[in-house]
Amino acid sequence: MFTGIIETLGEVVDLQKDKGNLHIRISSLFSSELKIDQSVAHNGICLTVVAVQDDSHTVTAVEETLAKTNLNKLQKGSLVNLERCMQMNGRLDGHIVQGHVDQVATCTQLQELDGSWVYTFNYNAETGNVTVEKGSICVNGVSLTVVNSHDGSFSVAIIPYTHEHTNFRTLQVGDEVNLEFDIIGKYVARLLNR
């Protein structure tokens, strides 16, 4: 379980294909503190640490994960949003995030305002996922509030701190991002469609 509050950025230092899997080695400020078998959200995807070496750690993405997320777009040098799992005695500063990506979306518009940024994303609404204005959405692991919601698209406003401390600062129009829709909204939508 995660909160969508990014702790640090990691840099991809190595990618190794192994049959249908991808082993991703990432260097970060907290990599040396991790333990094998620990869950860490990488761009919003819950992945298990399989190795720790000095200031880097390795996770493995299986074929299913690669098919449904943007991990297959990673390259050496890519920046990845990282968050360790939530401690049960801690505050829930963002919203409830499972680390289970629902689908990818494409950035279709980036508007730089006077001190903030508005990003617009398009996604496939036929999957049944929905957003609501002022509702929660997790984009590349970042807990955000929806400012505009339409069928198949939504916008979020990014404050300078988030822009500086996440990989939003590298995001361009045409880039794919991982989406995890609000868990409560998903259950309500599922119940209403029965």
Side-chain angles (χ1 to χ4, degrees), residues 97-171:
V97 177
Q98 295 181 295
H100 304 159
V101 172
D102 294 303
Q103 65 186 99
V104 295
T106 302
C107 180
T108 57
Q109 186 176 13
L110 165 55
Q111 184 179 11
E112 189 171 346
L113 304 176
D114 189 22
S116 65
W117 296 260
V118 174
Y119 291 82
T120 301
F121 300 97
N122 283 4
Y123 64 93
N124 181 0
E126 292 177 10
T127 61
N129 292 313
V130 296
T131 60
V132 294
E133 288 189 29
K134 307 302 180 247
S136 297
I137 186 78
C138 192
V139 179
N140 268 0
V142 182
S143 173
L144 297 167
T145 301
V146 175
V147 293
N148 289 308
S149 176
H150 306 285
D151 284 341
S153 74
F154 66 94
S155 298
V156 292
I158 304 297
I159 63 173
Y161 182 89
T162 303
H163 192 264
E164 181 181 340
H165 291 91
T166 69
N167 61 11
F168 265 91
R169 69 182 187 219
T170 65
L171 198 59

Side-chain angles (χ1 to χ4, degrees), residues 25-26 31-32 50-58:
R25 189 159 64 95
I26 295 171
S31 290
S32 62
V50 297
V52 178
Q53 311 98 315
D54 300 325
D55 68 343
S56 68
H57 68 278
T58 302

Side-chain angles (χ1 to χ4, degrees), residues 54-78:
D54 300 325
D55 68 343
S56 68
H57 68 278
T58 302
V59 293
T60 301
V62 297
E63 201 168 350
E64 169 77 3
T65 304
L66 294 171
K68 293 187 176 177
T69 69
N70 67 1
L71 289 183
N72 54 10
K73 306 277 193 223
L74 291 178
Q75 302 173 22
K76 285 184 183 178
S78 292

